[in-house]
Amino acid sequence: MQQKQGLGKALAERLVSKGAKVILGDIDRNDGLRLASELNHGKGNEVAFFVPCDVTKYDQQAALFDAAFKHFGGVDIIVNNAGIAESTPLWEDDKGIWKKVIDIDLSAVIEGTRLGIQALKKQGREGVIINTASLAGLYPQARTPAYSAAKFGVIGFTRSFKDFDSSIRINAVAPSFAPTKIIESMRENVAKIELVSVEMVTDAFMLLIEDDSCSGDVARITPKYGINVLGKATGGDKDKKKKAKL
């Protein structure tokens, strides 16, 4: 799980509260170690392990899976959650920040999904992969075109797995902006936008993880309409068997 301040932390806490064990990956070593320590506090056995990870370096992504096998015996749930957004208008971006946005927000998600499928097939057991997209991947954002392009890519990529494999489900969350670290670089763009809560986005993650009718699906999260799996009735089928057992 590539941990992003806010969404990644909240999801890790929710998963651990349900009995899961988590591998945390983050480029910020101090934040990652702190969260792992918090999650392990008071537990009889280790439930969280941190691995420093720059998601643009694919060997470091692979190290997350190696750690999962070593510490917890494998993986059932993979979450590709790292992300950044541009803060400079495209025509003024002489440093090529837009390329970094694509590398982190799209290319790394594709690689994380590839590695996730590889790991699940190697294990021979069912699992689920969740990619973090954005409402900006459903509705173009004029002020952050590279970010929007990357998130459109994540949604198209995820939907391409609709009929992939009945034992491996791949879904995406597409939240409106939430009060997380990523909006610090977009403060001017989101100043007048109503934010969704981190808790609601976490609920959407859990819906896509636990509802095995969701495959190649996208959960849109907005302040007005809440959680809506596009093309499905809200809430899913709670009586269905859960593929990702926690």
Side-chain angles (χ1 to χ4, degrees):
M1 177 188 303
Q2 288 112 30
Q3 179 228 340
K4 174 167 63 179
Q5 182 178 342
L7 300 186
K9 181 176 186 292
L11 180 57
E13 290 171 344
R14 181 79 65 88
L15 288 169
V16 168
S17 76
K18 286 178 167 284
K21 297 177 180 179
V22 296
I23 296 294
L24 307 168
D26 199 314
I27 199 167
D28 189 320
R29 184 181 182 88
N30 291 334
D31 279 353
L33 288 171
R34 185 181 305 113
L35 178 56
S37 177
E38 291 173 2
L39 293 172
N40 285 319
H41 181 71
K43 304 290 193 303
N45 297 308
E46 185 179 52
V47 298
F49 184 81
F50 171 70
V51 179
C53 181
D54 175 347
V55 294
T56 66
K57 300 184 185 306
Y58 295 162
D59 60 329
Q60 293 187 24
Q61 282 210 51
L64 297 172
F65 293 89
D66 292 341
F69 279 97
K70 178 179 179 180
H71 290 268
F72 302 133
V75 296
D76 299 286
I77 303 164
I78 298 100
V79 181
N80 295 306
N81 184 55
I84 64 169
E86 67 266 41
S87 57
T88 303
L90 181 63
W91 54 94
E92 296 178 5
D93 183 12
D94 298 328
K95 296 182 179 179
I97 299 299
W98 70 267
K99 295 180 182 178
K100 189 174 182 180
V101 171
I102 299 298
D103 286 345
I104 293 174
D105 294 8
L106 178 57
S107 299
V109 169
I110 293 173
E111 178 63 7
T113 301
R114 186 189 74 81
L115 290 169
I117 293 171
Q118 188 179 82
L120 291 169
K121 284 185 173 292
K122 179 180 178 180
Q123 294 172 161
R125 67 193 197 205
E126 300 173 340
V128 59
I129 299 171
I130 309 295
N131 297 323
T132 300
S134 167
L135 214 60
L138 294 169
Y139 310 103
Q141 302 296 307
R143 294 190 177 186
T144 54
Y147 178 77
S148 189
K151 296 304 183 178
F152 263 86
V154 170
I155 287 176
F157 173 72
T158 300
R159 282 176 161 167
S160 297
F161 290 95
K162 185 70 175 177
D163 300 310
F164 169 61
D165 184 325
S166 61
S167 67
I168 300 175
R169 298 180 297 111
I170 302 172
N171 299 303
V173 293
S176 181
F177 292 112
T180 62
K181 191 173 182 178
I182 195 170
I183 68 171
E184 292 178 5
S185 64
M186 308 165 69
R187 193 179 304 276
E188 181 180 338
N189 297 339
V190 303
K192 297 180 180 180
I193 297 176
E194 183 180 359
L195 304 179
V196 296
S197 69
V198 169
E199 181 180 11
M200 186 185 293
V201 180
T202 305
D203 289 341
F205 273 114
M206 295 307 301
L207 171 63
L208 295 177
I209 289 169
E210 294 182 328
D211 186 344
D212 72 351
S213 72
C214 293
S215 182
D217 285 306
V218 177
R220 179 179 60 189
I221 308 105
T222 63
K224 184 174 182 180
Y225 298 108
I227 301 168
N228 173 236
V229 179
L230 300 180
K232 289 180 177 285
T234 303
D237 185 348
K238 294 182 179 179
D239 295 325
K240 283 185 175 287
K241 174 187 174 185
K242 304 298 188 288
K243 282 194 172 184
K245 293 188 172 87
L246 301 178

